[in-house]
Amino acid sequence: MVASKLFPFVLAATVIGNHHVNGTILGGGIVSTYTDVQPQADIALDLRDMEDLLSSSNDALKDIEEAKEIYFSGKHSAVDDTVQPPVMRSLFQMSADTTNGEFRSQRMHEPTYLFHIHGLRNETEQTGDNYLYADLFTKSFFDDVSNPTLAVESAVALNLWMFVSHEIYDAIEDCKAASIEINREVGLTRNDHAAHALDEAIAYWIGTGQDGGRNRGHALYSLTQRAGELFGTNVDGGEAKVNTEIIELYHEGRSVLAFSDSCTGSANDDALARLHSVANRIHARMMIPLMQMLIHSMREQDIGRVGIYARAVVPQISACSESRYQFLKSTLIDNEYTHDLFLDVLHALQRSFDCLGFSCEDIGAYKTSVIAECADVPADYPITGYTPTTDVREHAKIDLDVKQIEILAMYNAFTTVGRYYMYGKNSKEDGGYRSLHGLATSANRAQVDPWFNIFNSYFGLEDYADVSIRAALDETGAWAAASDEQRSASIVNTAKTSVMTMYGLREFYDARANCLSGGNVKSSASSPRTSIHRGESSWDRGVAFFTGSLEGGKEDGSDIIDGQLFFNVAKQMCVYFGTCNSRPSSTFSNAKVNEELLALFITGKGLVVANKCEELSSTIKQIESLLLVPLFQGTIHFAILSQNEERGTTNSDVAIADAYTKSILPLIHHYDEDAGLLLEGNLVYSHTRQPVVGGIDAVTQSLNDA
C-alpha cells in the first residue's frame, strides 16, 4: 500500500470487499484512502455509462437523451443513500450553480477557478462572470450528433478537473476552519474536514474501475495515462509520471493532517502553509495532461478536442503573461483554430510552461519525434538585456505573485490574496516558496543604509510596508472603511513600490558588503555552487527583483501590459511624462530611466567581479537616485487623478497615490520636513479627509522643492 510505504506511522485499515472500514481502495490498490470516498469515486461510472451510450450505434437520439439524463441527474454516485430514491451527485452539479449561488460563493476564493473565470472574460471586461463555462461547453456536445462522445471528454477535462481543484482548496479551508468532527457531505456544497476533502480529490481523480498504471478507466487518472503514452512520460510503459506525483502529493497532504490537532494546535499556521504548498504543486501536475492533450489535438487538427483543451488550459495563462494569453485566447477560443498557426501557438504554450509550474521535460516529446521536447529558458537567459551569471530565474518569478494577487483581489478573494502574500506561490526557495511577506519583513533590509533607517524612523516600524499591506488585507486601521478596490490597489502598489524597491536595493547592498568583506570569496568546497561568486549572485538577484520574469530578455522588456515590477512602473509613468524612448529596432518603447538603470546594472556587475568597492558604492547611489524618478512621477500622476475626489471616495486612484507617496515620503520628510508634512496631509489615505485638499499645485511644488 503506497501510504504505508511513504508514511509508516499510518496504519492500514481492514479491508471488507472493495471498502475499508474507514476508507476506500482506489485503482486496484494504488491508493488506500482514510475515509470512505467510494461514492465519490463512482462518478467515473457515470462517465463510463455516458460514453457507452454516446458511442452506441443503436438508437442515437434515445441514447443521447439517456446520457444527458445521467449528466444532469447522476446515476451511480450517491450523496445520500439512506433515502429512496438515493440523492445523487452529478457532473452537471459539479460545475453549475444549483444552490442559488451558495456553491458559487464557495468557489469565489479558489485561485484556479478565479483564474479560469478571469481568463474567459470578454476583451472589454476587467473581470469575468462566465461561472458556468464548463457546463455550458460540455452540454453543447450533446447537440453535436456527429461526435457526441466529446461531451464525456469535456466533462472530464472541464467539469471533473475543476471539481478536483475545488476539493483540494476545500482541504485548506477546512483546516483553516479547524473543524473538530467529520460531518457528512451535504450535497456538493459542504465538506467539513480537511482530510476527507483530500480523500475526495484523489477519489475523483482516479475513479472506480481504474487499474493502476493502465489506460483502462474513465476519470482523470485514465486521461493522464493516455496523455503520457502520447508524450512518452509514462514510466517504463506503466504509470504516468504525473499520476505517480499526484498520488505522492496526496499522501504528503495527508501527512500534514496526520495528527488530530494539525489544524487546531499551535502549528496551525504551519499546516496551512504546507497545505498551500501541496495544493500549488498538485495543480501544476494536474495541468500537464491538459497541456499534452491540447498539443496532441492541435497537431492532429482535431478541432473539437482543441476546443475542449483550449478551454481547460488557456484561461490559466491569464495569470501569466497577458500578451501571450490574449494571443492564445484569440487563436484557440475566440476563433476556430487553424493549423497554419500551429508553430506560433505551440511556441506561446511552451513559453507558458514555467509559469504554470512544469517544465519541457514534464511534457515530453510528442510521439517520440513528431514534436521534439522543448528547451526550458536557460539560467543565463538575459533579463531585459542584462545577462546574469548566476541562476535567478526563480527570484524573478516573484512578479507572478504580484500579478496573481492583483487578479484575485479583483474578485475580492482577500483570504486567498493573504495566503499568496504570506506563503508565496511562484518563486521557489529552499523547497518552499519565496513570499512578498518574507521580503517585506526581512531583517537584511537594514543593509540599505541610510534609506532603511530613514523609513524605519519615519513610520516607527521596521516592517512598515508589511503592516500597511496586512491592514488592507484585514480591513483594519486606515483601510477599515476603504472600498475593496482601494484595498486591492493598496496591496498591489505597496508591493511594487515599497516592498520590491527596498528589497532589490538590499541585494545590491549585499553585493557591496561582500566586496568590502573580502570580495571574491567562494562558497565552501562541499557546496555544489563552488564556482559562484557570492557578490555576483546578490547583484543578479537585485536586477531580477527590479525587473521580474515577465519582461523577458530584450533590452526594452515586453509589452507594457505584461510587466509587474519597477521596470514596468517606469514604462507606465514615462507615457504620462514624455520620458519614453522608442528606437526603430525595438518592438516596445521604454522609459529613459530604465535604459540608464540597465547601464548601471551592467556597470555594477563588472565592479562586483573586479572588487572595486568604492566605485560600486557610487554606482548604487546613482541607482537609488534614478529609482526616485518613476516614484515621483507616479505620486504626481495619481495625485492629479485624485484631486477632484470627495471625502469618503471609493476610487482606487487615491489608494495608489497613497502607495506611491509612502514609497518616497520618509525621504522627503527627512530632507525637507515641511514638504513631507504637506504630502502627508494631501496624499496619505484617509477615509475622512478629502484627497489633495491643499491643491495639486502645492503637491507638485513640494516635490519640486524636495
Side-chain angles (χ1 to χ4, degrees), residues 441-455:
T441 58
S442 171
N444 294 325
R445 293 169 299 140
Q447 289 178 289
V448 185
D449 184 35
W451 273 30
F452 180 76
N453 289 328
I454 291 172
F455 276 72

Side-chain angles (χ1 to χ4, degrees), residues 630-672:
L631 299 178
F632 269 64
Q633 290 174 330
T635 301
I636 294 170
H637 173 66
F638 286 102
I640 292 170
L641 294 181
S642 302
Q643 65 179 324
N644 295 321
E645 296 294 328
E646 298 294 330
R647 182 175 60 183
T649 178
T650 61
N651 192 306
S652 62
D653 289 333
V654 298
I656 304 175
D658 172 271
Y660 274 90
T661 300
K662 287 177 179 175
S663 72
I664 57 173
L665 180 55
L667 297 170
I668 292 174
H669 186 273
H670 179 76
Y671 294 106
D672 187 336

Side-chain angles (χ1 to χ4, degrees), residues 27-42:
I30 56 174
V31 168
S32 296
T33 64
Y34 306 91
T35 62
D36 183 10
V37 287
Q38 188 61 54
Q40 286 82 353
D42 286 345

